[in-house]
């Protein structure tokens, strides 16, 4: 079986015992092998023996992205390079890439975690899976490839891009599953419609989409335009890539593979744990990795946790959809806004496509936000008056729902760059 009944259905108390043992092992592993952690733990006067319960995790130091940059490329690696059999990396927004080294054991664990994701999505050995995540340094491509191979699927590693070829192969090979970012799924659906051959009549039945924030509204749009069921997959390079958390067919929160990752939610300002069920920043500790386990890594991703048995039988703790990164949060007239909130509202407006970007500028010390969104052809053909009406309609909808004024600019059909990977939703034009 490519899923793991023992851990995915483990009673909570037993899981906590397992996590505690693995957490202590990881603290020992790191203090013996990684000077950065040895120093930090020493300064804080904490050792594995001080961790008596999972609540004691707050005694351990937090790790942030800067720590990875400062120790670039392999300063946080806990094993000699000869034991590292793979390195992935993410480009990061500025400066040096973030590196992710793996031992043989790490690759094996990762493969199992992704296989669990795909199994929960209903993918089986007779599926033909088209893997349109970028294959290369990005963890999405090889990560999903390995997981699908473990199930025994027929894997078609198209990587991202060359959209018309994606459509051709999807039809000719009869792909039944698609893996890519949600924004690229929409790009593929749109191109197929433009070619006069919508995807709805194909054998394609399931999509495993992630690597960027997306909303339920976006899910509905993709499901309709592709005639499939779409589920969410989450992960990050720093902790080994996709497969950390995933939706099952119930689509009611993402199960965290908590035998591998210990999750906490903290207030991003006070850094204190939030009350159970409250939203905040996701902090993760890798408790089984060998090459580069991180303690209490601040993901910057905003979500909440809830523990309940899922209708699929899993007892793993659930994480709600990521609404955005704290980095992407905009403060407009004092109101905190995530691009995902705007995305949800845009799906109520039938006159536009889900192709949008928020352009943030500054006027007399105040942040100004302009929403650029693409008009549907028939609206654009209606001329300036029609365009003005729709702009007003969107501005009023946002004002009514979020209480903020956003300037709207309807752009010409097909004028915005189509995503082939992670869509850029916020363009920051404020002087640095
Ligand atoms: O995006 C790993 C991945 C590949 C996940 C394929 C899912 C599928 P990075 O490039 O390091 O790794 O980016 C990690 O992307 O901290 C989130 O901000 C965002 N992210 C990833 N998955 C989701 C998701 C991969 N399902 C960063 N929903 C993370 C929202 C996501 N945001």
């Amino acid at each position: 079986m490519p899923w793991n009944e023992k851990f995915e259905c483990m009673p909570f108390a037993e899981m906590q015992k397992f996590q505690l043992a693995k957490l202590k092992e990881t603290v020992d592993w790191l203090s013996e092998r990684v000077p950065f952690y040895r120093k930090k733990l020493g300064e804080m006067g904490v050792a594995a023996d001080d961790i008596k319960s999972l609540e004691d995790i707050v005694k351990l130091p937090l790790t942030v992205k800067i720590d990875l940059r400062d120790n670039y490329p392999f300063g946080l690696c806990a094993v000699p390079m000869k034991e590292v059999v793979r390195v992935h990396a993410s480009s990061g927004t500025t400066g040096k890439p973030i590196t992710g080294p793996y031992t043989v054991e790490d690759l094996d664990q990762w493969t199992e975690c992704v296989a669990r994701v795909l199994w929960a999505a209903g993918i089986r050995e007779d599926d033909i899976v088209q893997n349109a995540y970028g294959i290369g340094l990005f963890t999405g491509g090889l990560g999903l490839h390995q997981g699908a191979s473990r199930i025994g699927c027929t894997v078609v590693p198209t990587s991202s891009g060359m959209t018309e070829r994606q459509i051709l192969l999807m039809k000719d090979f009869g792909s039944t599953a698609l893996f890519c970012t949600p924004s690229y799924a929409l790009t593929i659906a749109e191109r197929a419609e433009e070619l006069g051959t919508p995807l709805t009549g194909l054998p394609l039945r399931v999509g495993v989409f992630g690597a960027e924030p997306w909303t339920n509204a976006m899910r509905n749009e993709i499901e309709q335009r592709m005639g499939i069921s779409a589920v969410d997959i989450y992960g990050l390079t720093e902790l080994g890539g996709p497969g950390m958390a995933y939706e099952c067919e119930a689509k009611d929160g993402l199960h965290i593979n908590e035998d591998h990752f210990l999750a906490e939610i903290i207030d991003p300002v006070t850094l204190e744990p939030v009350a159970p069920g409250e939203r905040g920043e996701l902090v993760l500790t890798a408790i089984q990795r060998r090459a580069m386990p991180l303690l209490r890594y601040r993901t910057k991703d905003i979500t909440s946790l809830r523990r309940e048995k899922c209708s699929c039988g899993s007892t793993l703790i659930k994480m709600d959809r990521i609404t955005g990164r704290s980095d992407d949060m905009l403060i407009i007239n004092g109101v905190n806004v995530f691009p995902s909130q705007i995305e949800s509202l845009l799906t109520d407006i039938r006159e536009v496509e889900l192709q949008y970007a928020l352009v943030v500028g500054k006027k007399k010390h105040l942040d100004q936000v302009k929403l650029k969104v693409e008009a549907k052809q028939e609206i654009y053909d209606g001329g300036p008056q029609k365009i003005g009406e729709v702009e007003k309609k969107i501005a009023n909808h946002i004002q009514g729902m979020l209480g903020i004024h956003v300037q709207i600019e309807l752009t010409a059909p097909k004028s915005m760059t189509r995503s082939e990977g992670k869509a850029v939703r916020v363009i920051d034009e404020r002087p640095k």
Side-chain angles (χ1 to χ4, degrees):
M1 273 297 187
W3 68 296
N4 193 324
E5 185 172 0
K6 178 177 168 204
F7 287 108
E8 291 183 78
C9 302
M10 188 175 256
F12 175 44
E14 223 176 293
M15 176 61 83
Q16 279 202 311
K17 243 170 99 179
F18 178 84
Q19 288 181 314
L20 182 60
K22 289 289 168 196
L23 176 63
K24 290 168 75 112
E25 262 176 49
T26 303
V27 172
D28 271 340
W29 181 260
L30 288 171
S31 52
E32 279 161 21
R33 292 159 174 257
V34 181
F36 167 83
Y37 278 120
R38 189 180 312 127
K39 182 161 175 267
K40 278 227 160 182
L41 291 162
E43 280 166 5
M44 293 173 82
V46 57
D49 281 348
D50 300 312
I51 310 297
K52 310 254 187 262
S53 74
L54 288 179
E55 283 76 56
D56 287 336
I57 197 168
V58 297
K59 295 181 179 165
L60 296 172
L62 289 158
T63 307
V64 293
K65 207 169 225 157
I66 302 287
D67 297 327
L68 275 78
R69 296 256 155 82
D70 291 348
N71 291 283
Y72 174 83
F74 302 122
L76 295 184
C77 201
V79 297
M81 281 314 275
K82 74 171 189 316
E83 287 177 30
V84 171
V85 294
R86 173 94 62 81
V87 179
H88 281 281
S90 70
S91 51
T93 38
T94 50
K96 300 282 193 194
I98 295 294
T99 48
Y102 302 75
T103 62
V104 171
E105 204 180 337
D106 291 334
L107 281 186
D108 187 57
Q109 290 174 10
W110 183 26
T111 304
E112 177 182 321
C113 284
V114 178
R116 292 183 192 180
V117 174
L118 302 180
W119 191 268
I123 290 171
R124 299 291 180 268
E125 62 271 25
D126 49 2
D127 273 298
I128 299 176
V129 304
Q130 185 160 335
N131 185 9
Y133 282 112
I135 293 173
L137 279 179
F138 178 52
T139 53
L142 282 168
L144 274 94
H145 185 107
Q146 293 160 181
S149 299
R150 178 150 305 177
I151 292 180
C153 305
T154 306
V155 187
V156 186
T158 52
S159 195
S160 60
M162 299 180 72
T163 307
E164 287 184 23
R165 193 181 65 172
Q166 301 277 0
I167 297 165
L168 177 107
L169 295 180
M170 197 177 281
K171 287 183 181 157
D172 292 352
F173 292 5
S175 305
T176 53
L178 175 67
F179 306 158
C180 60
T181 59
S183 58
Y184 190 45
L186 208 54
T187 303
I188 298 175
E190 182 188 68
R191 188 74 195 118
E193 288 159 14
E194 281 167 8
L195 294 169
T197 54
L199 302 173
T200 38
L202 299 182
L204 197 67
R205 59 179 189 82
V206 53
V208 181
F209 303 138
E212 63 183 0
W214 57 310
T215 55
N216 268 328
M218 174 95 150
R219 185 209 312 267
N220 293 339
E221 174 99 11
I222 297 172
E223 288 187 335
Q224 267 177 23
R225 287 170 83 163
M226 290 198 152
I228 62 169
S229 169
V231 293
D232 198 0
I233 174 172
Y234 171 84
L236 55 165
T237 311
E238 295 90 316
L239 292 154
M244 240 219 57
Y246 55 99
E247 274 180 337
C248 64
E249 287 170 295
K251 298 179 192 172
D252 178 28
L254 289 86
H255 303 288
I256 295 183
N257 275 321
E258 57 178 333
D259 48 327
H260 292 276
F261 302 98
L262 228 169
E264 306 165 69
I265 304 287
I266 63 165
D267 180 319
V269 179
T270 64
L271 307 182
E272 295 295 327
V274 301
E278 264 185 31
R279 298 185 78 72
E281 180 178 333
L282 178 67
V283 170
L284 293 167
T285 301
I287 51 176
Q288 294 212 51
R289 299 195 77 209
R290 300 283 97 175
M292 202 178 89
L294 298 179
L295 290 181
R296 306 190 74 211
Y297 184 67
R298 290 188 60 185
T299 64
K300 302 273 181 160
D301 294 321
I302 305 295
T303 183
S304 56
L305 299 176
R306 60 193 148 105
R307 186 169 292 283
E308 64 195 21
K309 187 171 175 186
C310 185
S311 59
C312 73
S314 166
T315 50
L316 295 174
I317 196 164
K318 282 182 181 180
M319 161 181 122
D320 284 314
R321 241 160 205 282
I322 304 281
T323 42
R325 292 179 60 75
S326 51
D327 299 348
D328 275 351
M329 188 180 82
L330 302 168
I331 304 180
I332 307 174
N333 303 337
V335 181
N336 298 352
V337 182
F338 285 103
S340 59
Q341 289 172 285
I342 304 274
E343 180 178 298
S344 281
L345 295 178
L346 278 180
T347 52
D348 299 334
I349 311 281
R350 301 313 304 168
E351 291 91 340
V352 297
E353 299 288 351
L354 257 189
Q355 302 290 345
Y356 69 95
L358 287 153
V359 185
V360 190
K362 215 169 185 93
K363 201 170 168 189
K364 290 193 192 145
H365 307 296
L366 282 180
D367 285 346
Q368 299 267 311
V369 178
K370 181 160 73 182
L371 169 64
K372 280 187 165 185
V373 55
E374 208 175 89
K376 285 206 170 130
Q377 190 68 52
E378 61 273 23
I379 302 303
Y380 202 71
D381 293 345
Q385 193 181 339
K386 184 72 202 165
I387 291 172
E389 276 169 27
V390 176
E391 287 174 344
K392 204 158 168 196
K393 180 174 169 182
I394 301 171
N396 286 343
H397 190 42
I398 294 175
Q399 175 87 52
M401 297 299 287
L402 301 178
I404 50 166
H405 176 72
V406 175
Q407 190 197 337
I408 313 293
E409 182 187 325
L410 236 60
T411 66
K414 318 288 175 227
S415 59
M416 299 194 66
T417 312
R418 294 297 183 262
S419 158
E420 293 185 349
K422 296 181 189 247
V424 179
R425 300 301 192 193
V426 179
I427 302 167
D428 196 339
E429 293 183 344
R430 283 172 291 196
K432 291 275 175 310

